[in-house]
Amino acid sequence: MVPEAISAALKVLPDAPGVYLFSDSDGKIIYVGKASRLTQRVRSYWHANSTPGAHRIRDAIDQVASLEWTVTDSVKEALLLEATLIRKHLPRYNVRLRDDRGYPYIRVTPGPYPRVERTRRIVRDGSRYFGPYVSPGSVNTAMSAIRRLFAFRTCEIAIAPGEQALQRPCLLFHLKRCQGPCLGNVTVEEYNAEIASLELFLSGRSSRAISALKARMDAASEREAFEDAARIRDTVLALERSEEHTSELQSH
């Protein structure tokens, strides 16, 4: 028999994409799911002819005392919100995402010279994570974008401030896609300023990233580091073009 509170909630479910949360009698969230049509998906758990995946959380359904939902603008947005809520609440029945293998992220590691890399695992070591991305293709696109715009390392070489870890630079340094901290070529402060701008960009705050980069460009010019100033200028121009393109798309 469907509990009265659940029955009342099922009657007002919107026919829209979104995320739903099942809670037990203690108010603890035990399952989070997504749907292209909330009304169809959520009601199916209490129908005799339930969806193919409903049997997977049959035990959870028997414990549901209340349900909530959030409507999203698209299925893609629902997918990302689902992943975020699962990682926040760690529901016992969301086995697939609780072990952090669900969606890819971009990870910025801790330390004096952070690495930037793709990952599917959340490591509690002070790293910063951006995402989740809906597919390997989308995280690859994001990595390609920041690789074009910013210079950072992806290698796992141990680099101590003020020391030279390698005698010869790698290909990324020659391509001007890494500042070469392994060569002692950049200070911790300069390198992390680049990482800070990269993080602003990944957070969707391109305007702030541009302002920070312009300040660095001016400082580089004042100390006559003209090659650095030119590289930062090119990054600023690329970011400004990216913002203009985004504005054009939004206005159509």
Side-chain angles (χ1 to χ4, degrees):
M1 184 177 178
V2 181
E4 185 176 342
I6 299 298
S7 180
L10 293 177
K11 292 177 181 177
V12 295
L13 277 166
D15 191 20
V19 172
Y20 52 93
L21 300 87
F22 294 158
S23 300
D24 62 18
S25 57
D26 295 323
K28 183 176 178 60
I29 295 171
I30 57 176
Y31 186 75
V32 176
K34 65 181 180 302
S36 57
R37 297 177 63 187
L38 284 166
T39 180
Q40 181 177 344
R41 177 65 174 175
V42 179
R43 287 175 182 171
S44 70
Y45 289 107
W46 282 272
H47 288 170
N49 298 320
S50 60
T51 58
H55 70 279
R56 192 166 54 86
I57 60 164
R58 188 73 265 160
D59 291 342
I61 298 304
D62 294 337
Q63 298 175 45
V64 176
S66 64
L67 70 91
E68 301 172 73
W69 60 84
T70 299
V71 174
T72 59
D73 292 331
S74 66
V75 175
K76 177 181 176 181
E77 187 178 320
L79 181 71
L80 296 176
L81 179 59
E82 177 199 37
T84 300
L85 291 174
I86 287 173
R87 296 193 192 285
K88 178 180 178 181
H89 298 291
L90 298 178
R92 60 178 297 193
Y93 289 97
N94 289 99
V95 177
R96 186 172 66 86
L97 284 179
R98 283 186 62 192
D99 61 2
D100 296 321
R101 290 198 295 266
Y103 300 107
Y105 283 76
I106 291 178
R107 175 191 182 206
V108 179
T109 65
Y113 295 107
R115 300 192 320 275
V116 182
E117 61 188 14
R118 305 171 186 82
T119 185
R120 286 181 180 270
R121 297 195 63 82
I122 303 295
V123 181
R124 308 298 179 184
D125 62 352
S127 292
R128 297 178 293 280
Y129 294 87
F130 298 88
Y133 292 86
V134 296
S135 68
S138 61
V139 75
N140 290 342
T141 298
M143 281 294 293
S144 295
I146 60 174
R147 176 61 77 195
R148 290 193 306 271
L149 295 168
F150 304 97
F152 56 88
R153 76 185 187 105
T154 57
C155 67
E156 297 186 5
I157 297 170
I159 304 174
E163 296 182 7
Q164 185 172 342
L166 293 179
Q167 295 301 314
R168 299 175 60 186
C170 69
L171 178 61
L172 289 180
F173 177 79
H174 288 300
L175 293 173
K176 299 185 178 182
R177 293 186 173 181
C178 180
Q179 298 179 72
C182 59
L183 304 172
N185 217 46
V186 60
T187 66
V188 171
E189 292 74 20
E190 290 169 337
Y191 184 87
N192 280 280
E194 184 88 351
I195 295 298
S197 296
L198 179 154
E199 291 179 334
L200 285 172
F201 175 75
L202 286 176
S203 300
R205 293 177 285 176
S206 294
S207 295
R208 288 185 59 186
I210 290 170
S211 297
L213 286 165
K214 284 181 175 178
R216 289 175 53 205
M217 180 177 65
D218 293 341
S221 296
E222 287 178 7
R223 66 174 187 272
E224 298 185 355
F226 298 118
E227 187 173 341
D228 287 345
R231 183 185 65 78
I232 297 170
R233 177 205 62 208
D234 292 343
T235 301
V236 169
L237 291 173
L239 280 172
E240 288 176 337
R241 285 195 297 270
S242 175
E243 277 211 325
E244 288 172 4
H245 180 61
T246 301
S247 297
E248 290 173 4
L249 289 177
Q250 290 175 344
S251 65
H252 282 75

